[in-house]
Amino acid sequence: MGSSEASGMQLGIFTVGDVTTDPTTGSTPTEAERIQATVAIARKAEEAGLDVFATGEHHNPPFVPSSPTTLLGYIAGQTERIILSTSTTLITTNDPVKIAEDFSVLQHLSGGRTDVMLGRGNTGPVYPWFGQDIRNAVPLTVEHYGLLRRLWREEVVDWEGKLRTSLQGFTLAPRPLDNVPPFVWHASIRTPEVAELAAYFGDGFFANHIFWPTSHTQAMVELYRRRFEHYGHGSPERAIVGLGGQVFMRPNSQDAVNEFRPYFDNAPVYGHGPSLEDFTALTPLTVGSPAQVVERTLGFRDYVGDYQRQLFLMDHAGLPLKTVLEQLDLLGEEVVPVLRKEFAVGRPADVPAAPTHESLLRARTAGEGTQSDSADNPEAR
């Protein structure tokens, strides 16, 4: 990961795994085709020189990634370098013991190319599907994560909470690779309590910067940085921040607008609402040339500060696989190299680089602590 370490940034993509009809052809992929396309996209992301591939977690149609670690484990066997992450692992409805087991196995399979992004999700009915009550969403988030941290860090766990049966003498198997837990990002679009949780533990905070105006994302990141310092983890600038984003590119910007418009207009999430022009003006969605994507993305620093991870959503709304692969070529050839160079310019030396298994292991070996006990080195957390 030399290139990402040089700039301090990890650049990659995330998928929500939607199965959506292509509005220009009327063609709808099968679930099998969508899953296989996702694998092809992950492999292409590595080929294009990206640092991260991340998948969401959904348990309802029209989505297919109901078992993210199964998908990522398969991709791990077909890749060598790229970090494999989730863009949401549901900390509310998944049992923390199972999360701990799944990601420990994925660490071993991938040689440490694994981290995890925890979130509450945005589908209310998922709670009863897994025996939970949505009214407990925030308490579940806090209690489950407290247990998950202990499972990865303690050989024998005795635990008692309010929303789950107690544990006595439980030992996780397998243990985390090199006894270094996966780095944890807490992801949220709108929930301040998630930013608070990330700050309390000194973990990363990922603002899924795709629907809301920049002022909202700025406020969430500022809250996280301020509370990170409050809890004694270091200055606000040392907090670990990631952003989501959406782009569609063609060499000519008007070609990009014309091609993407029918997909935008009919997308299940934001279709039949604001115009493409209004949405791109009010949110970070960028539809245009690679140079415009570079300019817009570099501008994110103006309101969140120097940060560590930027992931783009590129395979949604029914876009055909061929088009997505062309997007990844543009991203790898014309956007990522410029972003790496420019994000490194003026980056203060004391701003941590994006954590990796290797950097966490180095910090541990050097005696700088672990994610659970270092008060001033976020990389060691």
Side-chain angles (χ1 to χ4, degrees):
M1 289 295 167
S3 55
S4 66
E5 289 187 353
S7 65
M9 286 284 292
Q10 291 172 349
L11 301 166
I13 59 172
F14 72 100
T15 181
V16 295
D18 59 312
V19 179
T20 302
T21 300
D22 184 332
T24 68
T25 65
S27 174
T28 306
T30 66
E31 291 177 323
E33 288 169 341
R34 185 64 172 100
I35 291 169
Q36 292 298 333
T38 304
V39 174
I41 289 165
R43 293 171 61 181
K44 183 68 171 183
E46 175 164 285
E47 178 188 317
L50 305 186
D51 302 310
V52 182
F53 173 82
T55 176
E57 177 185 346
H58 293 275
H59 297 275
N60 56 297
F63 302 99
V64 292
S66 57
S67 182
T69 51
T70 304
L71 175 64
L72 294 177
Y74 184 78
I75 293 170
Q78 301 192 33
T79 55
E80 296 179 355
R81 181 190 60 80
I82 198 163
I83 293 172
L84 304 172
S85 182
T86 48
S87 49
T88 305
T89 289
L90 299 177
I91 188 65
T92 46
T93 52
N94 283 306
D95 188 81
V97 172
K98 188 59 176 164
I99 296 175
E101 292 173 339
D102 284 351
F103 281 89
S104 286
V105 170
L106 185 57
Q107 270 193 314
H108 288 276
L109 284 172
S110 66
R113 296 183 289 126
T114 299
D115 56 35
V116 59
M117 210 175 286
L118 301 175
R120 297 189 306 145
N122 58 10
T123 306
V126 74
Y127 287 83
W129 295 340
F130 290 89
Q132 300 292 354
D133 186 334
I134 194 172
R135 291 171 293 185
N136 292 330
V138 171
L140 278 166
T141 299
V142 175
E143 182 171 296
H144 280 185
Y145 182 55
L147 174 55
L148 179 61
R149 284 182 63 87
R150 291 188 57 189
L151 293 168
W152 274 332
R153 287 165 173 79
E154 300 176 21
E155 289 286 343
V156 180
V157 175
D158 294 305
W159 178 90
E160 187 171 344
K162 296 179 179 179
L163 300 170
R164 187 200 184 281
T165 54
S166 61
L167 292 176
Q168 278 113 28
F170 181 82
T171 296
L172 181 70
R175 301 295 300 157
L177 179 65
D178 301 318
N179 211 28
V180 175
F183 185 78
V184 171
W185 301 83
H186 299 265
S188 180
I189 296 177
R190 62 187 182 277
T191 309
E193 291 91 341
V194 173
E196 179 79 12
L197 186 67
Y200 179 80
F201 286 108
D203 296 327
F205 177 64
F206 188 89
N208 201 354
H209 190 35
I210 59 175
F211 296 126
W212 288 55
T214 55
S215 58
H216 174 77
T217 298
Q218 179 179 2
M220 290 284 283
V221 173
E222 285 180 352
L223 169 66
Y224 161 65
R225 290 189 184 277
R226 188 169 67 249
R227 300 298 288 173
F228 181 93
E229 180 181 43
H230 169 81
Y231 288 118
H233 300 299
S235 68
E237 295 74 23
R238 294 189 61 78
I240 305 295
V241 173
L243 295 182
Q246 283 177 284
V247 298
F248 185 85
M249 296 174 286
R250 288 301 183 197
N252 178 284
S253 60
Q254 193 57 51
D255 289 342
V257 171
N258 292 339
E259 183 177 349
F260 188 65
R261 187 181 302 279
Y263 294 96
F264 175 88
D265 287 346
N266 293 281
V269 174
Y270 43 56
H272 313 288
S275 70
L276 176 59
E277 286 74 16
D278 286 346
F279 200 84
T280 53
L282 294 171
T283 78
L285 171 65
T286 306
V287 180
S289 67
Q292 287 173 303
V293 169
V294 167
E295 181 181 11
R296 191 86 181 275
T297 305
L298 290 174
F300 295 166
R301 278 192 303 188
D302 295 341
Y303 51 90
V304 303
D306 288 286
Y307 63 112
Q308 284 77 16
R309 173 174 283 188
Q310 174 66 55
L311 302 183
F312 297 106
L313 176 62
M314 308 190 76
D315 70 331
H316 60 121
L319 289 168
L321 176 60
K322 177 178 181 291
T323 301
V324 176
L325 299 181
E326 291 167 353
Q327 294 291 301
L328 291 174
D329 278 331
L330 286 170
L331 191 67
E333 293 168 8
E334 300 191 36
V335 174
V336 165
V338 182
L339 290 179
R340 289 201 199 289
K341 179 181 177 182
E342 295 299 323
F343 271 125
V345 174
R347 189 181 182 93
D350 61 344
V351 172
T356 64
H357 182 79
E358 291 76 17
S359 69
L360 297 170
L361 182 58
R362 283 197 303 268
R364 176 186 174 87
T365 303
E368 296 175 9
T370 67
Q371 193 171 347
S372 61
D373 61 19
S374 173
D376 60 359
N377 183 2
E379 275 210 359
R381 288 192 294 278

